[in-house]
Amino acid sequence: MNSLKTFPKDGNKSKAFWIIIQIVAWLCFYAIWRLSTWRYFSDPQHERYSFFLIPFGVYLFYFLAFKSFYRKGKIKAFLCSSILICILIICMEYFYVIDTIIGHIPTDNPGIDYQESKQYMQKETLIAISLRDFALFAIVGFGLLYKDAFQYNKLLQNQVNHLKEKERLQKEIQNYRSHCHFTQDMLRVYQKDHPDSWHDLQEYMDLYQYSYEHNSCVIYALDKEVAFARRLTAFYQKHFPDTPISFICPQKIPPVYIPPLITEPLISNLFKHGITGPQGKMSVEFDFSKSPEWIQIRFRNKVSNPTTVFNIHGSNGLSFLAKKLALIYREEASLKYDIQDQTCTFILSIRP
């Protein structure tokens, strides 16, 4: 039996790449460190060891604060440990280098106040070390948080894509089972016994397939809805040839998007509840005169009992349509109807 295999990604190259990036970054930082002129060391050993306190603090922050607390969702512990580590490194560096810096102040020069110079150097050294280390820790910290947020969004997008793919596959399976596999197999048998009516039945299945494929869409282009409404009206007109039916739509259709299949329950109700035959007088009219502010679609037909038909609260199709419009558009859409002289008029208004 053949099976699909998923091979794990090679993470060694990625780790090696990031290690090289960190080495290059620290070398650049060390070059800037050597060019610094705000302090003087008594020997190269103090300078070297003072520099290595910074990487030590950064990686202590990474493995202790970020890995141990932030990854486990302990935000307060993460913030407190980050601040304490930063303060610890500042103090260690300050007390390690301050004696060598103060040692450069002359004690036998009568023109220089030693105590005043000492306090000034202590203050300036502490401020300089604090500003630089806080800035470095902030850059590293925000970089890690940004990387974590980017990975989280990437993971979330992968999950969304997975769900979309799963939904698409499920839809294809349902389509295959309900239409291609089950329905078409039955239709082939029907076609052999009734070859003359195959064309009409095929048109019905095409409309059914179209509604099945677009039912899960949130919105689609208005011209698709016009084309669907025209096909559905023509389909009913074939089966009610003696019923006057008019389909009115301007040639120029606005490039806007609306919910799919919103005309289906209203067109179907024309024939379900209306009078068919020469006295029917049905019409479907698209009105774009107020476009792009409003789109109106009017449905008219004769009814035999104006007091009972087209109850919007009792009709599932109309009730679902009204709820869908309210959910998507709130006050920007309406579905109204009026009955006068045995003529029922539905007006569907949408502000895209």
mmCIF file with all atom_site columns, all heavy atoms in Angstrom, residues 116-132:
data_model
loop_
_atom_site.group_PDB
_atom_site.id
_atom_site.type_symbol
_atom_site.label_atom_id
_atom_site.label_alt_id
_atom_site.label_comp_id
_atom_site.label_asym_id
_atom_site.label_entity_id
_atom_site.label_seq_id
_atom_site.pdbx_PDB_ins_code
_atom_site.Cartn_x
_atom_site.Cartn_y
_atom_site.Cartn_z
_atom_site.occupancy
_atom_site.B_iso_or_equiv
_atom_site.pdbx_formal_charge
_atom_site.auth_seq_id
_atom_site.auth_comp_id
_atom_site.auth_asym_id
_atom_site.auth_atom_id
_atom_site.pdbx_PDB_model_num
ATOM 1   N N   . GLU A 1 116 ? 35.528 65.638 44.056 1.00 0.00 ? 116 GLU A N   1
ATOM 2   C CA  . GLU A 1 116 ? 34.552 66.074 43.053 1.00 0.00 ? 116 GLU A CA  1
ATOM 3   C C   . GLU A 1 116 ? 34.736 65.324 41.742 1.00 0.00 ? 116 GLU A C   1
ATOM 4   O O   . GLU A 1 116 ? 33.761 64.897 41.108 1.00 0.00 ? 116 GLU A O   1
ATOM 5   C CB  . GLU A 1 116 ? 34.696 67.575 42.834 1.00 0.00 ? 116 GLU A CB  1
ATOM 6   C CG  . GLU A 1 116 ? 33.659 68.126 41.854 1.00 0.00 ? 116 GLU A CG  1
ATOM 7   C CD  . GLU A 1 116 ? 33.782 69.638 41.690 1.00 0.00 ? 116 GLU A CD  1
ATOM 8   O OE1 . GLU A 1 116 ? 34.558 70.244 42.455 1.00 0.00 ? 116 GLU A OE1 1
ATOM 9   O OE2 . GLU A 1 116 ? 33.100 70.185 40.804 1.00 0.00 ? 116 GLU A OE2 1
ATOM 10  N N   . SER A 1 117 ? 35.987 65.136 41.323 1.00 0.00 ? 117 SER A N   1
ATOM 11  C CA  . SER A 1 117 ? 36.260 64.395 40.097 1.00 0.00 ? 117 SER A CA  1
ATOM 12  C C   . SER A 1 117 ? 35.850 62.927 40.229 1.00 0.00 ? 117 SER A C   1
ATOM 13  O O   . SER A 1 117 ? 35.324 62.317 39.287 1.00 0.00 ? 117 SER A O   1
ATOM 14  C CB  . SER A 1 117 ? 37.749 64.486 39.748 1.00 0.00 ? 117 SER A CB  1
ATOM 15  O OG  . SER A 1 117 ? 38.126 65.826 39.526 1.00 0.00 ? 117 SER A OG  1
ATOM 16  N N   . LYS A 1 118 ? 36.074 62.356 41.414 1.00 0.00 ? 118 LYS A N   1
ATOM 17  C CA  . LYS A 1 118 ? 35.706 60.970 41.653 1.00 0.00 ? 118 LYS A CA  1
ATOM 18  C C   . LYS A 1 118 ? 34.192 60.778 41.560 1.00 0.00 ? 118 LYS A C   1
ATOM 19  O O   . LYS A 1 118 ? 33.715 59.844 40.903 1.00 0.00 ? 118 LYS A O   1
ATOM 20  C CB  . LYS A 1 118 ? 36.223 60.549 43.024 1.00 0.00 ? 118 LYS A CB  1
ATOM 21  C CG  . LYS A 1 118 ? 35.859 59.119 43.396 1.00 0.00 ? 118 LYS A CG  1
ATOM 22  C CD  . LYS A 1 118 ? 36.380 58.782 44.792 1.00 0.00 ? 118 LYS A CD  1
ATOM 23  C CE  . LYS A 1 118 ? 35.964 57.361 45.177 1.00 0.00 ? 118 LYS A CE  1
ATOM 24  N NZ  . LYS A 1 118 ? 36.440 57.019 46.546 1.00 0.00 ? 118 LYS A NZ  1
ATOM 25  N N   . GLN A 1 119 ? 33.434 61.673 42.209 1.00 0.00 ? 119 GLN A N   1
ATOM 26  C CA  . GLN A 1 119 ? 31.976 61.581 42.146 1.00 0.00 ? 119 GLN A CA  1
ATOM 27  C C   . GLN A 1 119 ? 31.459 61.769 40.712 1.00 0.00 ? 119 GLN A C   1
ATOM 28  O O   . GLN A 1 119 ? 30.518 61.096 40.281 1.00 0.00 ? 119 GLN A O   1
ATOM 29  C CB  . GLN A 1 119 ? 31.352 62.610 43.085 1.00 0.00 ? 119 GLN A CB  1
ATOM 30  C CG  . GLN A 1 119 ? 31.604 62.344 44.556 1.00 0.00 ? 119 GLN A CG  1
ATOM 31  C CD  . GLN A 1 119 ? 31.018 63.426 45.442 1.00 0.00 ? 119 GLN A CD  1
ATOM 32  O OE1 . GLN A 1 119 ? 30.433 64.397 44.957 1.00 0.00 ? 119 GLN A OE1 1
ATOM 33  N NE2 . GLN A 1 119 ? 31.195 63.268 46.755 1.00 0.00 ? 119 GLN A NE2 1
ATOM 34  N N   . TYR A 1 120 ? 32.087 62.681 39.990 1.00 0.00 ? 120 TYR A N   1
ATOM 35  C CA  . TYR A 1 120 ? 31.679 62.927 38.617 1.00 0.00 ? 120 TYR A CA  1
ATOM 36  C C   . TYR A 1 120 ? 31.918 61.689 37.749 1.00 0.00 ? 120 TYR A C   1
ATOM 37  O O   . TYR A 1 120 ? 31.039 61.278 36.963 1.00 0.00 ? 120 TYR A O   1
ATOM 38  C CB  . TYR A 1 120 ? 32.462 64.122 38.063 1.00 0.00 ? 120 TYR A CB  1
ATOM 39  C CG  . TYR A 1 120 ? 32.215 64.356 36.593 1.00 0.00 ? 120 TYR A CG  1
ATOM 40  C CD1 . TYR A 1 120 ? 31.063 65.002 36.151 1.00 0.00 ? 120 TYR A CD1 1
ATOM 41  C CD2 . TYR A 1 120 ? 33.149 63.916 35.645 1.00 0.00 ? 120 TYR A CD2 1
ATOM 42  C CE1 . TYR A 1 120 ? 30.839 65.203 34.793 1.00 0.00 ? 120 TYR A CE1 1
ATOM 43  C CE2 . TYR A 1 120 ? 32.934 64.123 34.292 1.00 0.00 ? 120 TYR A CE2 1
ATOM 44  C CZ  . TYR A 1 120 ? 31.772 64.769 33.876 1.00 0.00 ? 120 TYR A CZ  1
ATOM 45  O OH  . TYR A 1 120 ? 31.559 64.958 32.535 1.00 0.00 ? 120 TYR A OH  1
ATOM 46  N N   . MET A 1 121 ? 33.105 61.050 37.886 1.00 0.00 ? 121 MET A N   1
ATOM 47  C CA  . MET A 1 121 ? 33.414 59.866 37.095 1.00 0.00 ? 121 MET A CA  1
ATOM 48  C C   . MET A 1 121 ? 32.510 58.692 37.464 1.00 0.00 ? 121 MET A C   1
ATOM 49  O O   . MET A 1 121 ? 32.090 57.912 36.606 1.00 0.00 ? 121 MET A O   1
ATOM 50  C CB  . MET A 1 121 ? 34.879 59.477 37.268 1.00 0.00 ? 121 MET A CB  1
ATOM 51  C CG  . MET A 1 121 ? 35.864 60.486 36.689 1.00 0.00 ? 121 MET A CG  1
ATOM 52  S SD  . MET A 1 121 ? 35.624 60.784 34.918 1.00 0.00 ? 121 MET A SD  1
ATOM 53  C CE  . MET A 1 121 ? 35.986 59.159 34.270 1.00 0.00 ? 121 MET A CE  1
ATOM 54  N N   . GLN A 1 122 ? 32.220 58.563 38.773 1.00 0.00 ? 122 GLN A N   1
ATOM 55  C CA  . GLN A 1 122 ? 31.324 57.492 39.197 1.00 0.00 ? 122 GLN A CA  1
ATOM 56  C C   . GLN A 1 122 ? 29.924 57.676 38.588 1.00 0.00 ? 122 GLN A C   1
ATOM 57  O O   . GLN A 1 122 ? 29.312 56.716 38.101 1.00 0.00 ? 122 GLN A O   1
ATOM 58  C CB  . GLN A 1 122 ? 31.239 57.458 40.723 1.00 0.00 ? 122 GLN A CB  1
ATOM 59  C CG  . GLN A 1 122 ? 32.496 56.953 41.394 1.00 0.00 ? 122 GLN A CG  1
ATOM 60  C CD  . GLN A 1 122 ? 32.417 57.064 42.909 1.00 0.00 ? 122 GLN A CD  1
ATOM 61  O OE1 . GLN A 1 122 ? 31.651 57.877 43.449 1.00 0.00 ? 122 GLN A OE1 1
ATOM 62  N NE2 . GLN A 1 122 ? 33.215 56.255 43.612 1.00 0.00 ? 122 GLN A NE2 1
ATOM 63  N N   . LYS A 1 123 ? 29.446 58.905 38.632 1.00 0.00 ? 123 LYS A N   1
ATOM 64  C CA  . LYS A 1 123 ? 28.118 59.204 38.086 1.00 0.00 ? 123 LYS A CA  1
ATOM 65  C C   . LYS A 1 123 ? 28.071 58.976 36.579 1.00 0.00 ? 123 LYS A C   1
ATOM 66  O O   . LYS A 1 123 ? 27.158 58.310 36.059 1.00 0.00 ? 123 LYS A O   1
ATOM 67  C CB  . LYS A 1 123 ? 27.744 60.644 38.425 1.00 0.00 ? 123 LYS A CB  1
ATOM 68  C CG  . LYS A 1 123 ? 26.407 61.084 37.853 1.00 0.00 ? 123 LYS A CG  1
ATOM 69  C CD  . LYS A 1 123 ? 26.124 62.539 38.192 1.00 0.00 ? 123 LYS A CD  1
ATOM 70  C CE  . LYS A 1 123 ? 24.818 63.006 37.550 1.00 0.00 ? 123 LYS A CE  1
ATOM 71  N NZ  . LYS A 1 123 ? 24.560 64.446 37.840 1.00 0.00 ? 123 LYS A NZ  1
ATOM 72  N N   . GLU A 1 124 ? 29.067 59.517 35.866 1.00 0.00 ? 124 GLU A N   1
ATOM 73  C CA  . GLU A 1 124 ? 29.079 59.391 34.414 1.00 0.00 ? 124 GLU A CA  1
ATOM 74  C C   . GLU A 1 124 ? 29.235 57.933 33.979 1.00 0.00 ? 124 GLU A C   1
ATOM 75  O O   . GLU A 1 124 ? 28.603 57.475 33.014 1.00 0.00 ? 124 GLU A O   1
ATOM 76  C CB  . GLU A 1 124 ? 30.220 60.234 33.825 1.00 0.00 ? 124 GLU A CB  1
ATOM 77  C CG  . GLU A 1 124 ? 29.989 61.733 33.902 1.00 0.00 ? 124 GLU A CG  1
ATOM 78  C CD  . GLU A 1 124 ? 28.786 62.152 33.074 1.00 0.00 ? 124 GLU A CD  1
ATOM 79  O OE1 . GLU A 1 124 ? 28.651 61.673 31.920 1.00 0.00 ? 124 GLU A OE1 1
ATOM 80  O OE2 . GLU A 1 124 ? 27.973 62.944 33.585 1.00 0.00 ? 124 GLU A OE2 1
ATOM 81  N N   . THR A 1 125 ? 30.093 57.186 34.690 1.00 0.00 ? 125 THR A N   1
ATOM 82  C CA  . THR A 1 125 ? 30.296 55.775 34.335 1.00 0.00 ? 125 THR A CA  1
ATOM 83  C C   . THR A 1 125 ? 29.023 54.970 34.554 1.00 0.00 ? 125 THR A C   1
ATOM 84  O O   . THR A 1 125 ? 28.631 54.151 33.710 1.00 0.00 ? 125 THR A O   1
ATOM 85  C CB  . THR A 1 125 ? 31.440 55.190 35.178 1.00 0.00 ? 125 THR A CB  1
ATOM 86  O OG1 . THR A 1 125 ? 32.638 55.948 34.959 1.00 0.00 ? 125 THR A OG1 1
ATOM 87  C CG2 . THR A 1 125 ? 31.682 53.727 34.804 1.00 0.00 ? 125 THR A CG2 1
ATOM 88  N N   . LEU A 1 126 ? 28.344 55.180 35.686 1.00 0.00 ? 126 LEU A N   1
ATOM 89  C CA  . LEU A 1 126 ? 27.110 54.445 35.970 1.00 0.00 ? 126 LEU A CA  1
ATOM 90  C C   . LEU A 1 126 ? 26.009 54.781 34.954 1.00 0.00 ? 126 LEU A C   1
ATOM 91  O O   . LEU A 1 126 ? 25.298 53.886 34.473 1.00 0.00 ? 126 LEU A O   1
ATOM 92  C CB  . LEU A 1 126 ? 26.631 54.773 37.389 1.00 0.00 ? 126 LEU A CB  1
ATOM 93  C CG  . LEU A 1 126 ? 25.354 54.051 37.836 1.00 0.00 ? 126 LEU A CG  1
ATOM 94  C CD1 . LEU A 1 126 ? 25.560 52.545 37.815 1.00 0.00 ? 126 LEU A CD1 1
ATOM 95  C CD2 . LEU A 1 126 ? 24.936 54.526 39.224 1.00 0.00 ? 126 LEU A CD2 1
ATOM 96  N N   . ILE A 1 127 ? 25.885 56.059 34.607 1.00 0.00 ? 127 ILE A N   1
ATOM 97  C CA  . ILE A 1 127 ? 24.864 56.454 33.617 1.00 0.00 ? 127 ILE A CA  1
ATOM 98  C C   . ILE A 1 127 ? 25.163 55.846 32.250 1.00 0.00 ? 127 ILE A C   1
ATOM 99  O O   . ILE A 1 127 ? 24.267 55.308 31.571 1.00 0.00 ? 127 ILE A O   1
ATOM 100 C CB  . ILE A 1 127 ? 24.778 57.992 33.521 1.00 0.00 ? 127 ILE A CB  1
ATOM 101 C CG1 . ILE A 1 127 ? 24.202 58.573 34.820 1.00 0.00 ? 127 ILE A CG1 1
ATOM 102 C CG2 . ILE A 1 127 ? 23.914 58.419 32.340 1.00 0.00 ? 127 ILE A CG2 1
ATOM 103 C CD1 . ILE A 1 127 ? 24.194 60.091 34.866 1.00 0.00 ? 127 ILE A CD1 1
ATOM 104 N N   . ALA A 1 128 ? 26.438 55.929 31.839 1.00 0.00 ? 128 ALA A N   1
ATOM 105 C CA  . ALA A 1 128 ? 26.810 55.402 30.518 1.00 0.00 ? 128 ALA A CA  1
ATOM 106 C C   . ALA A 1 128 ? 26.581 53.890 30.445 1.00 0.00 ? 128 ALA A C   1
ATOM 107 O O   . ALA A 1 128 ? 26.038 53.379 29.458 1.00 0.00 ? 128 ALA A O   1
ATOM 108 C CB  . ALA A 1 128 ? 28.269 55.739 30.222 1.00 0.00 ? 128 ALA A CB  1
ATOM 109 N N   . ILE A 1 129 ? 27.007 53.168 31.487 1.00 0.00 ? 129 ILE A N   1
ATOM 110 C CA  . ILE A 1 129 ? 26.819 51.715 31.497 1.00 0.00 ? 129 ILE A CA  1
ATOM 111 C C   . ILE A 1 129 ? 25.336 51.371 31.519 1.00 0.00 ? 129 ILE A C   1
ATOM 112 O O   . ILE A 1 129 ? 24.870 50.470 30.797 1.00 0.00 ? 129 ILE A O   1
ATOM 113 C CB  . ILE A 1 129 ? 27.543 51.086 32.700 1.00 0.00 ? 129 ILE A CB  1
ATOM 114 C CG1 . ILE A 1 129 ? 29.056 51.202 32.520 1.00 0.00 ? 129 ILE A CG1 1
ATOM 115 C CG2 . ILE A 1 129 ? 27.146 49.621 32.868 1.00 0.00 ? 129 ILE A CG2 1
ATOM 116 C CD1 . ILE A 1 129 ? 29.849 50.700 33.701 1.00 0.00 ? 129 ILE A CD1 1
ATOM 117 N N   . SER A 1 130 ? 24.546 52.087 32.322 1.00 0.00 ? 130 SER A N   1
ATOM 118 C CA  . SER A 1 130 ? 23.111 51.796 32.439 1.00 0.00 ? 130 SER A CA  1
ATOM 119 C C   . SER A 1 130 ? 22.389 52.044 31.122 1.00 0.00 ? 130 SER A C   1
ATOM 120 O O   . SER A 1 130 ? 21.585 51.207 30.670 1.00 0.00 ? 130 SER A O   1
ATOM 121 C CB  . SER A 1 130 ? 22.495 52.656 33.547 1.00 0.00 ? 130 SER A CB  1
ATOM 122 O OG  . SER A 1 130 ? 23.102 52.384 34.794 1.00 0.00 ? 130 SER A OG  1
ATOM 123 N N   . LEU A 1 131 ? 22.661 53.185 30.483 1.00 0.00 ? 131 LEU A N   1
ATOM 124 C CA  . LEU A 1 131 ? 21.988 53.497 29.217 1.00 0.00 ? 131 LEU A CA  1
ATOM 125 C C   . LEU A 1 131 ? 22.330 52.480 28.141 1.00 0.00 ? 131 LEU A C   1
ATOM 126 O O   . LEU A 1 131 ? 21.455 51.990 27.418 1.00 0.00 ? 131 LEU A O   1
ATOM 127 C CB  . LEU A 1 131 ? 22.367 54.914 28.762 1.00 0.00 ? 131 LEU A CB  1
ATOM 128 C CG  . LEU A 1 131 ? 21.821 56.070 29.602 1.00 0.00 ? 131 LEU A CG  1
ATOM 129 C CD1 . LEU A 1 131 ? 22.343 57.392 29.072 1.00 0.00 ? 131 LEU A CD1 1
ATOM 130 C CD2 . LEU A 1 131 ? 20.298 56.067 29.586 1.00 0.00 ? 131 LEU A CD2 1
ATOM 131 N N   . ARG A 1 132 ? 23.608 52.135 28.040 1.00 0.00 ? 132 ARG A N   1
ATOM 132 C CA  . ARG A 1 132 ? 24.008 51.204 26.999 1.00 0.00 ? 132 ARG A CA  1
ATOM 133 C C   . ARG A 1 132 ? 23.424 49.815 27.235 1.00 0.00 ? 132 ARG A C   1
ATOM 134 O O   . ARG A 1 132 ? 22.888 49.172 26.330 1.00 0.00 ? 132 ARG A O   1
ATOM 135 C CB  . ARG A 1 132 ? 25.525 51.125 26.927 1.00 0.00 ? 132 ARG A CB  1
ATOM 136 C CG  . ARG A 1 132 ? 26.030 50.290 25.760 1.00 0.00 ? 132 ARG A CG  1
ATOM 137 C CD  . ARG A 1 132 ? 27.400 49.728 26.049 1.00 0.00 ? 132 ARG A CD  1
ATOM 138 N NE  . ARG A 1 132 ? 27.341 48.832 27.186 1.00 0.00 ? 132 ARG A NE  1
ATOM 139 C CZ  . ARG A 1 132 ? 28.331 48.718 28.086 1.00 0.00 ? 132 ARG A CZ  1
ATOM 140 N NH1 . ARG A 1 132 ? 29.422 49.456 27.981 1.00 0.00 ? 132 ARG A NH1 1
ATOM 141 N NH2 . ARG A 1 132 ? 28.225 47.872 29.087 1.00 0.00 ? 132 ARG A NH2 1
#
